[in-house]
Amino acid sequence: MRDADSHSFEEFVAARRPALLRTAFLLTGQAADAEDLVQTTLIKVVPRWGRIKDNPEAYVRKVLAREATTRWRTRRWRETVVAHLPEREATGPDLTSGVAVRDALLRLAPRQRAVIVLRYYDDLAERETAATLGVSIGTVKSQTSDALARLRASIPDLDAPDGSSVAGLRG
Amino acid sequence: MLTDLLDDLAREAPTGGAPPGQLWRRGRRVARTRRLGTVAIAAVACLLLIALGSVTWQQRAVEPPVAETETKSYVPARIFTPSPYLPGTDEQGPPGVLIATIQTERKGWSDRGFGLVGVSATAGDYRFLDLPDAHPEHLRDAALSPDGRHVAYWITGSVPDPFPRRPKVPSSSAFSDFPPIVGYAVYDTVTGEVERQVQRTQHGIGGQAFVWFDPEHLGVAYGQMRDCCSVTPNRSFVHDLANGTADALSVDIARTSTNGHGTLIDGSDDTERRSGTSTLIGNDGSTTSVRTRTSDASRVSGSMFTVLSPDATRVAFLTGSSAPDTVELVDIDDGTTRTIDVQSLGIVAWLDATHLAAYAEGPDDEAHLDLRSVDIRDGSTTTFVQNADEARFAINLLDSPVREQPAPPRPWSPWRITGTAAAIVAGAAVAILAWRRRAGR
C-alpha cells in the first residue's frame, strides 16, 4: 500500500510540478521561493496522500495557496516594496513586460496576489478560489476588486480579464 | 490581457526540484517527526493536568476514617488560619468530635461570605461545617458544646409576615438579604444529624445567645422581632437534647458563661456587680445568688471573663481596668478571695481544680493570642495553644493531651485551578501548532 502511494505521489509530482512551480512563481515572484514553496507543499501533502490520491489537485493547490499567504507573509522582507518603480530603460518603460508585471504583483498583499493568480492564471471560479484560500466569496470579490485597482495603477493599459480594458473598469 | 501577462510571467518559473522519491521520504519523515512531537507535547500536558488534578485532589481529599484506637481527643498545639477554599462537610462528611470552631471567610466559584470551620479533636483536620439552613450573618453566635459533639446555630425560614428586604439597616437581620431567623438547630458533629427547633412567630425572632450548660443542655436566649429594628425582651430556655424539650427559664442567660458541667454564672448585671454577687443558673432552671465579692468589684471586666469551676465552688475573674488584667479567685462557699500573680487578656475555662485556661499575647506574634495554662497555686503559666484567639473551644476537652497537629491544606481557588488547567491546555495547543509548523518547514 505504502509503495503504491509512493508510486502515485511520484507520478503526480512528475506530471504536475511544472504547473505548480508556475503558480508558485507568480505567488512568490522569486524562482528560489517558488521551488521552496512547491517543495514544502509537496512534503506537507505526503502524510495525507493516502486520502487524497484519487483527486489530489484541489488539496495540493489549497496547501500551496495557503502556504503562500500565511508562511510567505512572514518572509515579505524578500519582497522589495519601493515607493517608486526602479528606473527603466532609456527607451521608456514597457509596462507590460515580465518585470513590470512581477513588480506590480509584488506590490499586492499576499492574499490579493493569491486571488489574482488563482482567478486569472489557474482559472478558478470565485467559489473555488474562496474554498482554496479558506475565505468567503465576498472576501474574494473585494480582494479581486482591490487587487485589480492596484494592478491598474501600476499597469495603466492592462486589459480586464474578460477582455475589456482594465481602464474600462474605472467607470 | 491580464491572463496573458500572467502566462508570460509564469514562463520564467523554475523547472527543477528534488526528485519525487526524495520528497516522499522527506514527507514521511516530517510526518513522523510532527506526530512524535505532538504526542510528546500532549503527553507532557496530560502529565501536568494529572499532577494538577492530583494536587487538587490531595488538597480536598477526604480524611480516612479515624481508627477506633485514635478516638482519643487532643488539644492542638496551634490553631491555624483556615483557607477560605477548604472543603465542607457536605463533601467530606461529619468531622467527628470537635476541639474548636473558627468563624472565617469562605469562598467558592462566585460566592463569598463567612463560614464556620470545625477543628477535629481527634485528627486535628479542618473542614467547613455545612450547617443546614444556617443564617450566614449569625454564624458568630454558633456555639460548640463543651464536649465538642454538638454545634448550636440559628436557622432561617419563612414567616407569615416577613419584613421587606431592603438594606436600609445593614445590621438588622430584618433587612438583610437572607430570610429571617425562625429558630435554632443543633448539629451533631459525629453523625451529621440536625435537630431543629422552629418557633412560630409573625416576623421571625431576634437571636441573642447560645450557652451550653453541659453537653446535654443548651441554653437559648432570643426575642421576637417587633418591627424592622427592635426585638421583644429576651426569653431564655434550656433545651434538653435527650428528650428534645425546651423549658423556659426565669432569668436571661444572654450574658452568662458556663462551667460546662451544668451551671451558668451571670455576673453581668450592674447591681450584682456593684454588690459583688452573681447568679448561678442550673440546667434545671434553679437559680442561686452567691457572693462573689472581688477586691475591686466595680471593675470586674465582664461576664465573658468570669468563669465558674466545674464543681461550681470557685469563680475566676479578671479585675482591673487595663489590659492585661489581674486574675482573681473567689471561693463561693466561704467568700474568700485571692489574687493570682498573673496578667491575662481573658479567661476561657477551668482546666481542672488547679488550672485555668487564659489568653495572653504570644511572644512572637502580638496580633494573636495564645492560650496558657495558669496554675492558680503559684501563678506559673505554660503556653499550650498558639494563635488561639480566633477559635471557640470545647471547654470540657481542654484538659486533653496537647499534640502538634498537621497544618490544614491550603486548597487553590477553583478559578486558579481552572485557569491553570486552561493555561496548560492552551500552552500545549500553541506548542503543538508551533511544533507542527516548524516541523513542516
Side-chain angles (χ1 to χ4, degrees), chain B residues 41 121 156 198 204 238 276 419 424:
Chain B
I41 293 169
T156 61
V198 176
V238 55
I424 291 171

Side-chain angles (χ1 to χ4, degrees), chain B residues 125-256:
Chain B
D125 64 306
Y126 291 54
R127 72 187 61 164
F128 277 103
L129 304 178
D130 290 306
L131 303 172
D133 302 325
H135 198 297
E137 293 178 347
H138 289 265
L139 276 177
R140 63 181 178 277
D141 292 339
L144 181 62
S145 64
D147 64 347
R149 176 69 191 264
H150 297 97
V151 176
Y153 63 97
W154 301 113
I155 57 174
T156 61
S158 58
V159 292
D161 185 15
F163 293 111
R165 292 185 196 174
R166 287 178 287 119
K168 263 187 176 175
V169 189
S171 60
S172 166
S173 63
F175 282 154
S176 76
D177 290 333
F178 297 97
I181 298 172
V182 296
Y184 59 93
V186 177
Y187 173 79
D188 189 321
T189 61
V190 174
T191 65
E193 292 174 354
V194 174
E195 182 182 341
R196 291 176 173 79
Q197 288 287 326
V198 176
Q199 313 303 313
R200 291 182 183 171
T201 60
Q202 194 69 10
H203 309 300
I205 65 175
Q208 294 299 313
F210 295 113
V211 187
W212 287 89
F213 285 85
D214 54 49
E216 290 297 318
H217 294 87
L218 170 68
V220 188
Y222 61 83
Q224 289 192 28
M225 296 301 297
R226 263 196 302 233
D227 53 41
C228 73
C229 315
S230 68
V231 183
T232 61
N234 283 344
R235 296 179 64 198
S236 296
F237 300 84
V238 55
H239 180 104
D240 187 337
L241 262 59
N243 55 29
T245 58
D247 298 322
L249 294 168
S250 59
V251 289
D252 186 359
I253 62 157
R255 298 194 64 196
T256 59

Side-chain angles (χ1 to χ4, degrees), chain B residues 252 255-257 264-274 276-281 290 292 297 300-304 306-307 315 317:
Chain B
D252 186 359
R255 298 194 64 196
T256 59
S257 67
L264 307 186
I265 181 168
D266 180 1
S268 63
D269 182 82
D270 286 345
T271 306
E272 289 183 329
R273 209 185 280 185
R274 278 194 297 274
T277 61
S278 297
T279 303
L280 302 186
I281 308 162
V290 295
T292 52
V300 170
S301 298
S303 66
M304 65 176 290
T306 303
V307 293
V315 181
F317 296 92

